[in-house]
Each structure stands twice: as structure tokens, then as C-alpha cells.
Amino acid sequence: MSQIRNPLTAPMMKKIIKVIEGKEKADLAILHGDIVDVYTGKIIKDHSVAVKGDWIAYINSDISQTIGPDTAVIDASGKILIPGMIDSHTHMVYYSAPWEAIRYLVPGGTTTIITEIMEISYTMGYNGLLQYLEALKDQPIKMFITVPPPISLSKSVYSITPNKSELKKLLRRDDVLGLGESYWQHILKDDKLYADLAQESLRLGKTIEGHTAGAHGSKLESYLAYGVSSCHEPVNADDVLERLRLGCFVMIREGSMRRDLEEISKINKMDIDYHHLAISTDGIDPGELITTGYMETVLQKAIDVGFDPIKAIQMVTLNPARHFRLDSYTGGIGLSKHADIVIIPDLKTIKAEYVISKGEIVARNGKLTAPVKKAPLPDTALNDYINKVSPAQFSIPCQKTGTVSVRVMDQVTDLVTRDAIMPMTARNGELNIDTTRDILKVTLITRQNKIVNAFIRGYKLKTGAVASSNAWENFGVLAVGVSEQDIALAVNHLLSMGGGIVVADGGKILAELPLPIGGLISKLSIEEIVDRLSQINKAAKSIGFPFPDLPKTIAVLTTPAIPFLRLSEDGLYDLKTNKIVDLITG
Ligand SMILES: [Fe+2]
């Protein structure tokens, strides 16, 4: 059985022994710090760490025999040493190229990332995934992926996503830690491919990342029966407890999609073991990343809402490392482990003064000091797939006369939709937009050029249209507008950029973010991306959009991950019944 590779070589083992014996000198010595020992859950006072190459080569109160004239020395007296932090579940594909995000991930003390990668799978296929993996290699921090199982509501996307044998090939790679998140309802409905992939992941000693939002009792157990080993969807302490008791590793989510730490901090009253618990972001959007930070902010919040600091540190270091079988070389300050170390001023202040990753000082006082690697990303623009559109293609025909009942997607929060049955009257064989009742058109254009039109309310646009090629697990184009002309303008402009996000009004483009790499990733710097996103939200607000984050709200209209009524290539999809439902209901 293959295990995830530990990169410690035989010559390096011998070098480490020589350093311990003082026969070879360390490259770096960190002196007199208080080490948070995540293995025992205690602090080891006034201890020093010698580093050779990527590795921790000696830990002792006196490491003077390892220090030579060329050894770099950090005096950590009065400071705390914690292991480099691990984000155990994230989405790196958040508009920016990976190296743009890494510039901001590293200075806070994150040294390992495990990212989902479905976005690349659905847009750029197997070859795109291979190329993206190359871009994650040789960065200042460790980057791993989980491979995405096919879980789209739209079956046609499977012509782009990797096939079963390609997914199995991916699972065998050292930089792939398991099978990625899969929504439980979807799997319980159709497990043909999934059961096989899950078995392969377990056989290889890897994990199966879960997604159990809203699942309880026998439904939860039926899903976990596939060997699903984690979940990052619990929203309260009872959810956490239910999953822990079934042997499911739980990642408490604190990121741009949801913030659950505070509510889940109630587990602190339960007096339970925390070794099967982690904290993950599930993705931080670029604006938040560059302004508020990353895992250091998450860890700080955990401490601030009442988690014991050492337990909280274990939840972002050793615990996730163990879950992903990476603990033989990261997750703690231990001998012959990668020197992934963050120096902070005190146990309750997660502000990295030094970040050491793979033995190298990669950031100091919030500034990146190591180079990030730029690499070519897959050149697969959206207009390679999708043709230009005309307003007539957004017509919704209705043969019935008089008033009919129409199922409208009702955007009740920025993420959740319900169905609203609204009376509408057909004119000239068509159902029309009714801005007086906030009934707008929503359209999904798939990469196979299938156009699916429906109605939506809650967007509150008074004029214009919005369009985005970030439509989860479909990754065609989604648009919402007050007229077919505005929708066509927004979509065609988006296609002219090769993908992106657009706000259009009165024949003009008010704001845009080009995403020419797969319709998902920009070639701009992360700072420029943040600026464009803010222009998009301002422009959307100016035409009536009521929620704070248009790109997020529109992106989830196609995902089976968020309830209740979604848009698929076959029409409106009801996640309560897992069925396509009629647009005209009577
Ligand atoms: Fe996720």
C-alpha cells in the first residue's frame, strides 16, 4: 500500500545525526524560545531548535554544539514558537493565480495548504489539473490538493472533468491527499462513480473529505458509510458532537463563506477530546485575505472566543496533519520534521514575527522574504466553448393564455434560494420580466451552449444586468437582468474577456473583472483583483442589488451545496426532492 511520501532522505537522516553530535553545523538556530509542544499539549520553556536544510535537526535547552560561523541565529528569548499553520480545507481558486494568494498566505504563518480544486476540474479538465498542480509545486509553503469527485447538477460537464481512470491516477500522486468534498444528497442519490473512487482513496491510505450540511441520524451515517473521513459543515456544537462520535474528523469553518467558530465554541463546555478537530477556512476571498489575513486571524479568533490557546494551536497544526497523514513530517515542532515554525510574541497574540517554512525564513514581521514561483496556467478561455448570444435566446415561451403559476427562484438570503410560486400572464406566447414585482430573468449558458432561462426575485435590479462565469460546479455563464438586451450585452462582454464578472447598464459596462483563465482566474495582481471586485459590488449596488457580494451570491445559483432551488442545465432543480421541477406549475 502506498503512503503519502515523507521527503526525508537517508543522507539527510545521517546529516541530522551529525548535527545532533555537533559534527555538522546547523543552517539556522532559534534560541531560547518557549515551544508550544503540540504532542503533549504543554509549553517547553526556554528551549532551542537547530535547523538543517528543510529539517528540524536538534531540540534542546542547549544547542550550542550545532552553531557554527555560518549558522543564522534568531534570538527567540521571551517569544513563543508554534508549528506552522495548516489550512485543512480551502479553495485556492478564488479569482487569483496561486502565487498571488501565496504572497499573502505566508506572512501570517500558514505553511501548509490543502485545497479543493473542483473549479479547475470543471473548467480545464485533466490536463488543466496537471498544469495547475505544477503551479502549486516548489512554492515557499507546502501545497496539496484533494481530487474532486464529479458532483455537478449538470451532467454535460462530465465531458470536461477528468474521467474515472484519470481521477484514480490523480489519487495516486504524492501531492494529492484524498478525495475532495462531495455533497451528501448527491452521493446518496448517485454513487456509481463515487463508491469506486472512495474505495481507491481508502486503499491508498488517503482521506475522503465530506460535506454533510444538514445531514443527521441515519442519513448522516449512510453518507459516512462510504468511508467519508471529515466534514467542515457543522454549524453548531451538537453537529460537531454528532460527527465526532461517529469517528468523523471535524473542521470548524471560519472563512468567507461562513463563520462558525463563535457558535461552535460552545463545545468548550462539553469537556470532550479535541484531537479529531481542526479549523479550516473553506476559502478566503481576496479582499479579506489582503486586509484581514488568513489562518493567523482564524487562530486568533478561536482564542478570542474562548478556545484554550494550546488546543486551538493543535487544531490548526497537528490535528489536521494527522488527519491527512502528514504528521510524520509536519504539524509539530519535532525532530526530523520539516522546520515549519512561527515565532509569536505571546500565546494569545497570533502575530508572526518570523515564519519559517521548510527550514527557510519566508516572512518577517508581516513581510514576505521568500520568492514565490510563477508558472503558466492552462490557457482555456471561456469563449473557446461558448458562442455569442442574442436577446431572443433568453425568451421564456408559454403556450397557455391568461394567468399562469410560475416557479420563481426566490433569493431569500445572499446565498439561499427558496421557490416562490407567482402568478404571471403570458403575452405573445412569452412570459416576461416584471420589474414592478422584482421578477427578473436568470439564465445559465453551459459550456455546451445550452441556454436555460428562468425567473428570479430578490436581486432587486432596477435596470441593467449582471453576469459571471464563476457558476459553481457548472462553470458556464450565469446572468441576471431586467431586459434580454442587457443580459446579452453583459454576457457578450464577459465572453469578449474570455470569462469574468460584469455589471452592465444602458448599453454600457459599469464594472468588470476579466477572468480569462478558464473563466475563473485573473491575470491581474491580487490587489488589482480586489479593486475590481469592489468596483463590481459598487456598480451592482448602484443598479439596486441588495446583497454585499454579487460575485458570491450569483456563483452559488448552480451548486448543490446550498439550498434550496438551483439552476441546472435541465432547468430548475429542487434540492429538497433532488428532482428537476417545472417552471410553469399551473
Ligand atoms: Fe469547500
Tab-separated table of all heavy atoms in Angstrom, residues 89-91 116 118 181 211 232-233 253 282, ligand 1:
chain	number	residue	atom	x	y	z
A	89	HIS	N	-8.849	22.786	4.741
A	89	HIS	CA	-9.871	22.750	3.678
A	89	HIS	C	-10.058	24.164	3.144
A	89	HIS	O	-10.608	25.022	3.821
A	89	HIS	CB	-11.205	22.205	4.199
A	89	HIS	CG	-12.255	22.138	3.133
A	89	HIS	ND1	-12.521	20.989	2.425
A	89	HIS	CD2	-13.082	23.083	2.610
A	89	HIS	CE1	-13.474	21.233	1.541
A	89	HIS	NE2	-13.839	22.493	1.635
A	90	THR	N	-9.586	24.385	1.929
A	90	THR	CA	-9.775	25.708	1.356
A	90	THR	C	-10.020	25.591	-0.142
A	90	THR	O	-10.047	24.502	-0.706
A	90	THR	CB	-8.560	26.619	1.648
A	90	THR	OG1	-8.868	27.951	1.210
A	90	THR	CG2	-7.303	26.155	0.931
A	91	HIS	N	-10.255	26.735	-0.751
A	91	HIS	CA	-10.414	26.825	-2.206
A	91	HIS	C	-9.451	27.901	-2.679
A	91	HIS	O	-9.727	29.096	-2.530
A	91	HIS	CB	-11.856	27.185	-2.572
A	91	HIS	CG	-12.828	26.097	-2.228
A	91	HIS	ND1	-13.359	25.245	-3.166
A	91	HIS	CD2	-13.332	25.697	-1.029
A	91	HIS	CE1	-14.149	24.371	-2.570
A	91	HIS	NE2	-14.160	24.635	-1.265
A	116	GLU	N	-9.199	22.255	-2.167
A	116	GLU	CA	-10.103	21.646	-3.139
A	116	GLU	C	-9.756	22.250	-4.498
A	116	GLU	O	-9.228	23.364	-4.578
A	116	GLU	CB	-11.547	21.986	-2.777
A	116	GLU	CG	-12.024	21.329	-1.502
A	116	GLU	CD	-12.335	19.859	-1.662
A	116	GLU	OE1	-12.793	19.447	-2.743
A	116	GLU	OE2	-12.116	19.094	-0.705
A	118	MET	N	-11.989	21.595	-7.445
A	118	MET	CA	-13.077	21.284	-8.380
A	118	MET	C	-13.196	22.341	-9.469
A	118	MET	O	-13.568	22.051	-10.595
A	118	MET	CB	-14.392	21.173	-7.619
A	118	MET	CG	-14.782	22.445	-6.927
A	118	MET	SD	-16.299	22.318	-5.995
A	118	MET	CE	-15.899	21.179	-4.712
A	181	GLU	N	-14.312	17.160	-1.454
A	181	GLU	CA	-15.652	17.248	-0.854
A	181	GLU	C	-16.735	16.849	-1.858
A	181	GLU	O	-16.644	17.148	-3.043
A	181	GLU	CB	-15.906	18.658	-0.324
A	181	GLU	CG	-15.953	19.727	-1.384
A	181	GLU	CD	-16.190	21.102	-0.779
A	181	GLU	OE1	-16.917	21.205	0.201
A	181	GLU	OE2	-15.638	22.077	-1.298
A	211	HIS	N	-18.976	16.486	3.075
A	211	HIS	CA	-19.786	17.714	3.050
A	211	HIS	C	-21.165	17.297	3.532
A	211	HIS	O	-22.002	16.872	2.749
A	211	HIS	CB	-19.824	18.258	1.625
A	211	HIS	CG	-20.434	19.622	1.515
A	211	HIS	ND1	-21.764	19.849	1.734
A	211	HIS	CD2	-19.894	20.822	1.208
A	211	HIS	CE1	-22.005	21.139	1.554
A	211	HIS	NE2	-20.895	21.756	1.239
A	232	HIS	N	-16.611	19.689	7.099
A	232	HIS	CA	-16.337	21.064	7.535
A	232	HIS	C	-17.635	21.862	7.587
A	232	HIS	O	-17.612	23.088	7.569
A	232	HIS	CB	-15.341	21.732	6.568
A	232	HIS	CG	-15.827	21.729	5.145
A	232	HIS	ND1	-15.752	20.622	4.359
A	232	HIS	CD2	-16.419	22.683	4.404
A	232	HIS	CE1	-16.280	20.899	3.174
A	232	HIS	NE2	-16.700	22.148	3.190
A	233	GLU	N	-18.773	21.164	7.652
A	233	GLU	CA	-20.063	21.850	7.549
A	233	GLU	C	-20.856	21.986	8.851
A	233	GLU	O	-21.919	22.595	8.832
A	233	GLU	CB	-20.943	21.117	6.527
A	233	GLU	CG	-20.414	21.159	5.112
A	233	GLU	CD	-20.565	22.534	4.462
A	233	GLU	OE1	-21.518	23.253	4.803
A	233	GLU	OE2	-19.713	22.882	3.639
A	253	ARG	N	-15.483	25.665	10.464
A	253	ARG	CA	-15.246	26.588	9.340
A	253	ARG	C	-15.263	28.045	9.803
A	253	ARG	O	-16.169	28.491	10.493
A	253	ARG	CB	-16.317	26.366	8.279
A	253	ARG	CG	-16.168	27.293	7.100
A	253	ARG	CD	-16.962	26.807	5.939
A	253	ARG	NE	-18.310	26.424	6.316
A	253	ARG	CZ	-19.207	25.954	5.453
A	253	ARG	NH1	-18.887	25.794	4.199
A	253	ARG	NH2	-20.417	25.637	5.839
A	282	ASP	N	-12.288	27.050	4.329
A	282	ASP	CA	-13.167	26.783	3.181
A	282	ASP	C	-13.048	27.909	2.154
A	282	ASP	O	-13.963	28.156	1.382
A	282	ASP	CB	-14.625	26.618	3.644
A	282	ASP	CG	-15.447	25.791	2.650
A	282	ASP	OD1	-14.870	25.237	1.701
A	282	ASP	OD2	-16.681	25.721	2.831
B	1	FE	FE	-15.341	23.592	0.357
